Amino acid sequence: MIKIKTEDEIALLRENALMVSKTLAEVGRNIAPGITTMELDRIADKYIRSLGAEPGFLGYDGYPYTLCISVNDTVVHGFPSEYKLKEGDIVSVDCGTKYRGFYGDSAYTFPVGKISDEDRALLEATKMSLYKGIGKAVAGQRTGDIGEAVQSYVEALGFSVVREMVGHGIGHNMHESPEVPNYGRQGHGVKLREGMVICIEPMINAGRKEIYLDDNGWGIRTVDGKKSAHFELTVAIRHQAPEVLSTFDFIEKNQ
Ligand code: CO
């Protein structure tokens, strides 16, 4: 069953989306060589609570932290740890909020100091593929149109799409129907309708698409050890154009 949200519900999802967006910017301001990923987790936790919200991931399916922090070959669901970020790393920060019964969920992959041209290209391609997917997030299109847009864009650049994890609807639950794969075929999948709210979140690998589960039971890593990037935004489905509820502007425009 896919829930169609009322305007009031979309307003609450927008509030969550903005809180997550601001939290990612706060984390981003602190990313530099030498900081541990656990320190970033503490910063986010404090910031979310200062906004009057709760961390959306903490305790979700037993997840033990506020953020998922996935460095280099970790695709998603990395545990914050005593690892100190170092120049040249790329670090995906995935953040959730819960506020007034609704969830926010957004992710951004940050460079740590100066990174290689190849890694820069991976980050740019992954973020651009998210915007390509968002471009298809309009009533009447299908989830396969989103997936195809993401997949064709990144594969043309020589990158690969992780298959096992997908985007999702969001509302009273962090993960609702429909699933939103980052691969697919035009005209296939679930038809999008006005009032659906979905998270699109491409997970793109520099090398092969295959992944494995880390010993800690959560972290997802690339089999070939190459780097992976992840960006996520929340979109309300409308008739004319996608309404993007979360934003990277706080991160990128230093707002
Ligand atoms: Co998500």
Side-chain angles (χ1 to χ4, degrees):
M1 210 260 306
I2 301 178
K3 294 197 203 94
I4 299 299
K5 273 76 182 183
T6 65
E7 288 306 320
D8 287 351
E9 290 172 329
I10 292 174
L12 288 171
L13 284 163
R14 188 184 296 109
E15 283 194 61
N16 272 279
L18 288 175
M19 289 190 285
V20 170
S21 303
K22 289 175 184 171
T23 306
L24 287 176
E26 174 70 6
V27 172
R29 282 190 282 277
N30 286 277
I31 287 179
I35 195 162
T36 70
T37 56
M38 190 64 77
E39 288 175 282
L40 297 177
D41 190 74
R42 295 300 91 203
I43 288 164
D45 193 275
K46 212 171 135 197
Y47 190 82
I48 290 167
R49 293 178 198 283
S50 79
L51 297 174
E54 285 166 46
F57 295 175
L58 188 64
Y60 185 91
D61 281 347
Y63 187 77
Y65 300 100
T66 290
L67 298 178
C68 297
I69 305 186
S70 306
V71 181
N72 294 338
D73 67 313
T74 300
V75 180
V76 287
H77 301 169
F79 279 175
S81 74
E82 296 310 316
Y83 175 78
K84 282 190 168 70
L85 293 177
K86 63 178 197 306
E87 178 113 13
D89 285 344
I90 62 170
V91 56
S92 152
V93 179
D94 193 350
C95 180
T97 55
K98 193 173 184 196
Y99 176 70
R100 293 182 65 185
F102 284 87
Y103 280 93
D105 180 15
S106 185
Y108 194 92
T109 304
F110 296 88
V112 181
K114 193 175 156 36
I115 62 172
S116 70
D117 290 347
E118 301 97 275
D119 292 348
R120 173 74 52 192
L122 175 67
L123 299 190
E124 292 297 322
T126 306
K127 188 169 69 173
M128 186 54 72
S129 77
L130 167 57
Y131 290 124
K132 297 278 180 193
I134 289 172
K136 304 290 180 184
V138 177
Q141 299 276 64
R142 291 177 182 267
T143 54
D145 296 300
I146 295 173
E148 192 277 337
V150 171
Q151 181 180 14
S152 61
Y153 184 78
V154 299
E155 286 183 352
L157 294 167
F159 301 124
S160 65
V161 175
V162 173
R163 303 295 205 273
E164 290 84 348
M165 274 114 13
V166 296
H168 50 91
I170 188 167
H172 282 305
N173 294 299
M174 186 157 52
H175 296 138
E176 298 186 356
S177 293
E179 291 195 344
V180 184
N182 299 299
Y183 58 91
R185 289 161 60 194
Q186 287 177 7
H188 289 246
V190 171
K191 189 179 266 188
L192 302 172
R193 292 170 53 202
E194 167 117 14
M196 288 183 185
V197 179
I198 60 172
C199 292
I200 305 177
E201 50 177 317
M203 288 151 267
I204 306 300
N205 294 349
R208 290 171 49 193
K209 66 181 185 304
E210 285 77 18
I211 48 121
Y212 70 97
L213 182 65
D214 193 280
D215 288 341
N216 68 21
W218 275 96
I220 303 288
R221 303 178 69 171
T222 60
V223 163
D224 62 13
K226 294 192 177 166
K227 287 176 183 168
S228 184
H230 176 218
F231 289 81
E232 176 173 17
L233 289 168
T234 302
V235 187
I237 305 300
R238 305 293 195 182
H239 282 298
Q240 304 302 332
E243 183 187 351
V244 188
L245 301 182
S246 44
T247 174
F248 298 144
D249 283 355
F250 300 110
I251 296 170
E252 297 179 346
K253 298 185 179 159
N254 243 320
Q255 287 175 340

